Amino acid sequence: MNTSLSWIKAYVPDLDVTAQEYTDAMTLSGSKVEGFEALDADLDKIIIGQITKIEKHPDADKLVVCQVDVGTGEDIQIVTGASNVREGYKVPVVLDGGRVAGGHDGKKTPGGIKIKKGKLRGVPSNGMMCSIEELGSTRELYPEAPEDGIYIFGEDAVVGESAIAALGLDDVVFEYEITSNRVDCFGVIGLAREAAATFGKEFKPPVVASTGNNENVNDYIKVRVEDTELCPRYCARVVKNIKIAPSPQWMQRRLASQGIRPINNIVDITNYVMEEYGQPMHAYDLDTIAGREIVVRRAAKNEKFVTLDGQERTMDDMVLMICDGEKAVGIAGIMGGENSMITDNVQTMLFEAACFDGTNIRLSSKKVGLRTDASGKFEKGLDPNNAMEAIDRACQLIEELGAGEVVGGVVDVYGKKKEGRRIPFDAKKVNQLLGTDIDKETMIGYFQKIDLDYDYEKEEVVVPSWRQDLECLADMAEEVARFYGYDNIPTSLPRGEATTGKLSFKLRIEALARDTAEFCGFSQGMTYSFESPKVFDKLLIPEDSDLRNTVVISNPLGEDFSIMRTISLNGMLTSLSTNYNRRNKNVRLYELGNIYLPKQVPVTELPEERMQFTLGMYGDGDFYTMKGVVEEFFDKAGLHGKESYDPNAGKSFLHPGRQANVIYDGKIVGYLGELHPQVADNYSIKERVYVAVIDMPEITALASFDRKYQGIARFPAVTRDISMVMPKTILVGDVEKIFDTKGGQYLESYELFDIYEGAQIKSGFKSVAYSLTFRAKDKTLEETDYAPAMDKILKALEELGIELRK
């Protein structure tokens, strides 16, 4: 939304501020100003001059020498090549030392171009006469300017006065960022109301006078609205004896400041009222309206319609159409039709001001591929009560400008009238919300500045319908805050009862997983939950695997993002591959993200979402490094030493001999292992890759933060080493189970310190050595205390087929 400062001042006459002061104050009061442009920033010493005499240049056929009266009592001489100058013409003149915005080609020069007196082909020239382009504007915004030549003022221009002011270029245009809930600020009147309240000035909106002759508009037109939900209000008035002419300079200048090209009085009035009230309007040639009837209905499916821009567009049954007795004449809220457009031959005109459903206009605009200034306003959801005042204002301007004769009365189809609302008001609660100490009357004064009434008897704020954003006491507190001044609100501590807050148990376990991974040198990654069906082939997942039963996305960005992942490895491996191909040597990554397991295919209900703790690494480290990270996490989560590993995991994407399911308390809670070489090759990784995936819902159910303090041991430990020879098929996990079950009450810990396979060990066997530590809490152990436990351990090892090395 843009406005010029001069237009704002038309409704706030006493406003006397600089552009920067206006920007700062309006932004602080809630109407954020993105920036501003001073139209005369690069213009200086440009006045209105009158050509008194023209002579041919003695040395150039295309140049003339002009004597120009600039109001100083003495003419100045200016040499020009413009072909449209005549004696008596009043033109903009740049004096010696002045500046223009750009060249005759219309291109602006930063800082402007300085004009100095000099000589042209030997003849002195003491200034320059300007085209509209050299003044920083265009013929689109100043249609009266000649196509190629000097700008010519009208007879009423005063010699010696500022040409910049006469052209309306002594103005500032502000650009606002208006939020969609402040529909009232999409018009100049709404912003002027805000400016008046911000600066404490009187707001003087235009006074709309009654218009119309003694005729009855119902004799000219009938209106029928078939869908009152999409069109809650439709107002129509008729103007006859239309006189097409240019609109007055003041209107053209205001429209130009908004970037709107003046066309003629009728079109300019509709644009002017749209900018002034924020209410789009449309005009139809009444003689083209069949049956003198307007019907507001939904379009038929695949209905064709040619809009004002000459394009044929295809509708569907959600698009609202404006029709006459036989045909469609406009797309409601978006654009009129070519078949009812206003031409220079129009005699009688139908004015339309309506309110349409904002959501429908936005969807319809997208459907037909056409977005206009009108649709941009309608889609915000306009106040239907604004339509009548806007159409009366347009008719008032029609009469004031002599553009036609307004027929008396108005057709107003308005079903359920939209009313304002009442909000109970409590000044004490507002002060508690804001941390301020503002008295009640001051708050009410703020409300009255922005046209909100107050009912003292019921202690309610009466909110008009055009303030759609005000719904509760918190909204009223915001109104108080922005006019009191956010910068004036003191810093204060929150008040109220203390409450206990902490992360849920699930989030605490996830935080613990992050801490553990980062402690072990892993960096967090985040990957997409959307994946390609090709992932399963890259991971060598069998055709009949349940993992291939996925949730298919109905409107995917493409095949690469067409399903929800059922396994978390693809994102991790893709990230590792990226790092590897960028020659990062040692990479450790982890991710906490969901997989999505459908309960049935095709999907009829929401899938099961399971959080996966995924770890991946290459470079320094091996299978046991990854196993250590998993066990570190288990230990921190209160799962102490009960995990075991099943090498028969059967994961097709892991190395057949270097993988294991992680089992805790009889349940599979995850898996880990080395990536299958073919899968690593599929991801363009030429090193050994190790991964681990932990199913967090299983861990959360088993985890505990209960900790029991144990003091430092007071008595010494006894250590015994065992060196064993066993078949390779026996896992060290099986050995450790024997330690746990046969070690007795004094076994404190055990540690694997050697594994050997080589020439000194017979084929198919391996040498394994453990160190066992025994300790008592209440005494120094003697051999008789731990010897029975050692005997049980050794016997159990022999039963398992393990021999002790001598």
Side-chain angles (χ1 to χ4, degrees):
M1 177 68 190
N2 294 349
T3 69
S4 65
L5 185 58
S6 63
W7 204 343
I8 294 291
K9 286 183 176 179
Y11 309 131
V12 191
D14 298 331
L15 187 62
D16 184 18
V17 292
T18 66
Q20 192 61 56
E21 289 171 344
Y22 182 89
T23 297
D24 294 342
M26 289 293 283
T27 299
L28 278 175
S29 68
S31 303
K32 184 181 179 184
V33 180
E34 286 286 325
F36 62 86
E37 179 188 6
L39 300 182
D40 61 351
D42 297 327
L43 305 177
D44 189 30
K45 297 178 72 174
I46 305 177
I47 62 172
I48 299 172
Q50 185 170 24
I51 303 172
T52 58
K53 186 178 181 180
I54 300 178
E55 296 176 332
K56 288 186 177 180
H57 193 288
D59 237 0
D61 293 338
K62 294 185 178 181
L63 298 178
V64 293
V65 181
C66 302
Q67 304 300 319
V68 183
D69 176 12
V70 293
T72 60
E74 184 177 342
D75 292 356
I76 64 171
Q77 182 170 286
I78 297 177
V79 179
T80 182
S83 60
N84 67 324
V85 293
R86 303 288 185 273
E87 291 183 0
Y89 277 7
K90 295 177 180 179
V91 296
V93 176
V94 188
L95 302 177
D96 178 36
R99 284 180 300 139
V100 292
H104 192 67
D105 57 1
K107 294 181 179 179
K108 290 187 178 182
T109 301
I113 300 173
K114 194 168 186 178
I115 304 300
K116 296 181 179 180
K117 63 182 178 180
K119 291 184 178 182
L120 287 177
R121 300 292 292 271
V123 176
S125 182
N126 299 312
M128 185 179 80
M129 292 179 282
C130 305
S131 66
I132 197 64
E133 289 81 8
E134 289 163 332
L135 295 175
S137 193
T138 65
R139 289 188 65 251
E140 281 196 345
L141 301 181
Y142 290 81
E144 73 278 9
E147 185 173 350
D148 185 19
I150 303 302
Y151 183 86
I152 309 299
F153 284 105
E155 289 294 328
D156 56 345
V158 179
V159 173
E161 291 193 353
S162 169
I164 299 172
L167 288 167
L169 294 173
D170 58 339
D171 206 349
V172 182
V173 176
F174 298 94
E175 180 185 355
Y176 304 84
E177 181 186 323
I178 304 298
T179 53
S180 57
N181 65 330
R182 287 303 305 272
V183 179
D184 57 299
C185 287
F186 282 93
V188 178
I189 288 178
L191 286 168
R193 182 187 290 110
E194 290 290 310
T198 298
F199 292 99
K201 304 296 183 180
E202 185 180 0
F203 172 55
K204 295 182 178 180
V207 178
V208 180
S210 60
T211 55
N213 58 22
N214 294 326
E215 296 179 274
N216 188 342
V217 69
N218 292 290
D219 297 333
Y220 284 81
I221 191 70
K222 290 181 172 54
V223 176
R224 185 172 83 252
V225 178
E226 294 184 356
D227 195 324
T228 55
E229 287 189 7
L230 298 185
C231 179
R233 190 174 197 182
Y234 191 100
C235 301
R237 296 197 71 174
V238 172
V239 181
K240 65 180 187 178
N241 301 326
I242 298 296
K243 299 174 184 176
I244 300 291
S247 54
Q249 291 289 321
W250 63 266
M251 182 175 286
Q252 291 191 33
R253 299 297 177 256
R254 287 184 181 175
L255 291 175
S257 71
Q258 303 288 98
I260 297 175
R261 179 171 63 92
I263 298 176
N264 59 49
N265 50 3
I266 300 300
V267 176
D268 291 355
I269 285 171
T270 59
N271 285 333
Y272 185 86
V273 174
M274 179 175 71
E275 294 300 315
E276 187 176 46
Y277 280 83
Q279 170 66 52
M281 302 182 65
H282 191 69
Y284 302 96
D285 185 341
L286 187 60
D287 293 330
T288 66
I289 303 298
R292 296 293 178 96
E293 181 183 22
I294 289 291
V295 180
V296 184
R297 62 164 175 82
R298 290 176 185 257
K301 193 170 184 179
N302 296 322
E303 180 176 345
K304 307 291 185 182
F305 181 70
V306 180
T307 47
L308 275 172
D309 56 3
Q311 299 292 314
E312 183 180 76
R313 304 181 188 275
T314 303
M315 311 294 132
D316 65 14
D317 55 6
M318 289 300 296
V319 179
L320 194 66
M321 303 296 292
I322 308 297
C323 308
D324 61 17
E326 299 175 354
K327 61 187 180 299
V329 295
I331 306 176
I334 300 175
M335 184 177 280
E338 192 176 49
N339 55 12
S340 61
M341 65 186 295
I342 297 293
T343 66
D344 291 343
N345 300 320
V346 64
Q347 296 296 316
T348 307
M349 180 181 66
L350 173 67
F351 251 143
E352 164 195 287
C355 184
F356 304 111
D357 178 75
T359 302
N360 179 264
I361 293 297
R362 179 175 59 82
L363 295 174
S364 298
S365 178
K366 186 176 180 180
K367 169 67 181 176
V368 302
L370 180 61
R371 195 171 191 274
T372 60
D373 289 340
S375 68
K377 293 183 184 295
F378 275 123
E379 67 187 24
K380 304 296 188 299
L382 299 184
D383 175 22
N385 294 327
N386 196 39
M388 181 62 74
E389 188 169 359
I391 200 170
D392 286 345
R393 172 65 166 162
C395 290
Q396 177 188 19
L397 291 170
I398 289 280
E399 288 192 349
E400 289 179 357
L401 303 185
E405 181 183 353
V406 179
V407 173
V410 59
V411 178
D412 184 14
V413 180
Y414 193 7
K416 183 179 179 181
K417 184 177 180 181
K418 183 174 182 179
E419 303 289 349
R421 60 175 62 88
R422 287 173 169 264
I423 300 175
F425 182 70
D426 186 333
K428 183 178 178 181
K429 287 184 178 179
V430 169
N431 278 322
Q432 288 175 343
L433 279 171
L434 301 179
T436 54
D437 187 17
I438 307 171
D439 64 86
K440 180 178 179 179
E441 290 303 318
T442 300
M443 295 183 187
I444 294 172
Y446 294 147
F447 300 152
Q448 291 172 342
K449 283 182 179 181
I450 50 176
D451 291 346
L452 307 182
D453 291 331
Y454 187 75
D455 187 332
Y456 282 91
E457 184 177 341
K458 295 183 178 179
E459 294 189 335
E460 293 176 333
V461 180
V462 183
V463 180
S465 58
W466 45 264
R467 282 303 301 269
Q468 301 177 27
D469 58 309
L470 301 181
E471 298 180 345
C472 61
L473 184 64
D475 295 327
M476 303 315 304
E478 184 179 3
E479 296 301 292
V480 171
R482 66 192 187 96
F483 290 115
Y484 178 71
Y486 293 111
D487 52 334
N488 294 324
I489 296 177
T491 301
S492 59
L493 293 173
R495 289 176 295 198
E497 296 180 0
T499 57
T500 302
K502 63 179 180 180
L503 292 177
S504 66
F505 187 79
K506 172 180 176 293
L507 293 180
R508 290 171 67 193
I509 298 299
E510 291 176 12
L512 185 64
R514 292 189 188 92
D515 291 344
T516 303
E518 290 167 8
F519 174 79
C520 294
F522 287 73
S523 299
Q524 185 172 15
M526 297 182 71
T527 60
Y528 289 116
S529 295
F530 301 163
E531 286 188 336
S532 167
K534 298 176 183 177
V535 165
F536 302 118
D537 293 333
K538 289 181 73 175
L539 292 173
L540 307 182
I541 292 174
E543 290 291 336
D544 59 351
S545 172
D546 289 341
L547 293 176
R548 290 181 179 263
N549 295 329
T550 62
V551 177
V552 179
I553 299 169
S554 59
N555 56 342
L557 298 174
E559 185 184 8
D560 288 345
F561 301 98
S562 60
I563 62 171
M564 302 298 290
R565 65 183 178 187
T566 56
I567 183 171
S568 61
L569 281 183
N570 176 64
M572 174 60 67
L573 296 178
T574 301
S575 298
L576 291 175
S577 174
T578 301
N579 278 275
Y580 178 81
N581 287 291
R582 291 181 181 175
R583 301 189 179 182
N584 293 325
K585 293 184 178 179
N586 299 297
V587 176
R588 295 185 177 192
L589 298 176
Y590 79 93
E591 180 186 15
L592 281 164
N594 285 335
I595 58 172
Y596 303 84
L597 306 177
K599 298 172 184 176
Q600 60 184 31
V601 177
V603 174
T604 57
E605 57 182 314
L606 292 176
E608 180 184 6
E609 299 183 29
R610 297 188 73 84
M611 178 67 68
Q612 305 293 288
F613 179 27
T614 308
L615 300 127
M617 70 179 190
Y618 67 80
D620 292 343
D622 55 17
F623 179 94
Y624 295 102
T625 305
M626 185 65 80
K627 179 172 174 283
V629 177
V630 172
E631 292 178 350
E632 177 74 13
F633 170 54
F634 282 14
D635 184 65
K636 296 295 184 185
L639 282 66
H640 300 301
K642 294 181 182 180
E643 66 273 4
S644 60
Y645 301 89
D646 179 5
N648 300 312
K651 304 296 183 186
S652 58
F653 44 83
L654 296 180
H655 193 293
R658 300 167 190 165
Q659 59 174 284
N661 279 332
V662 184
I663 300 173
Y664 189 89
D665 201 17
K667 295 181 180 178
I668 298 176
V669 297
Y671 57 86
L672 77 158
E674 180 184 330
L675 196 65
H676 194 291
Q678 185 178 337
V679 176
D681 188 60
N682 290 342
Y683 284 91
S684 302
I685 306 175
K686 306 302 181 184
E687 286 198 31
R688 291 187 175 185
V689 179
Y690 299 94
V691 297
V693 178
I694 304 300
D695 190 44
M696 292 299 287
E698 293 286 358
I699 298 300
T700 303
L702 297 166
S704 171
F705 286 103
D706 293 340
R707 298 290 186 270
K708 185 177 290 186
Y709 171 75
Q710 291 184 342
I712 298 174
R714 297 170 54 194
F715 298 94
V718 176
T719 304
R720 290 292 180 266
D721 293 342
I722 301 178
S723 182
M724 300 164 281
V725 176
M726 65 184 74
K728 289 183 179 180
T729 56
I730 297 178
L731 305 177
V732 294
D734 298 330
V735 175
E736 292 177 355
K737 286 180 183 178
I738 292 175
F739 296 159
D740 289 331
T741 56
K742 306 297 184 180
Q745 61 176 325
Y746 297 127
L747 180 63
E748 182 180 68
S749 63
Y750 46 82
E751 181 180 358
L752 175 67
F753 67 85
D754 183 58
I755 296 179
Y756 174 74
E757 296 179 22
Q760 299 180 24
I761 303 297
K762 58 185 176 179
S763 178
F765 284 75
K766 60 185 174 183
S767 174
V768 177
Y770 272 91
S771 178
L772 282 68
T773 301
F774 296 88
R775 189 195 305 268
K777 297 179 180 179
D778 55 353
K779 65 179 181 177
T780 299
L781 289 178
E782 297 180 2
E783 186 173 355
T784 55
D785 294 320
Y786 60 83
M790 282 297 298
D791 292 340
K792 291 179 181 178
I793 290 173
L794 295 175
K795 184 178 179 181
L797 291 173
E798 289 176 4
E799 291 175 354
L800 196 61
I802 298 173
E803 301 175 7
L804 293 181
R805 292 190 68 182
K806 305 300 183 181

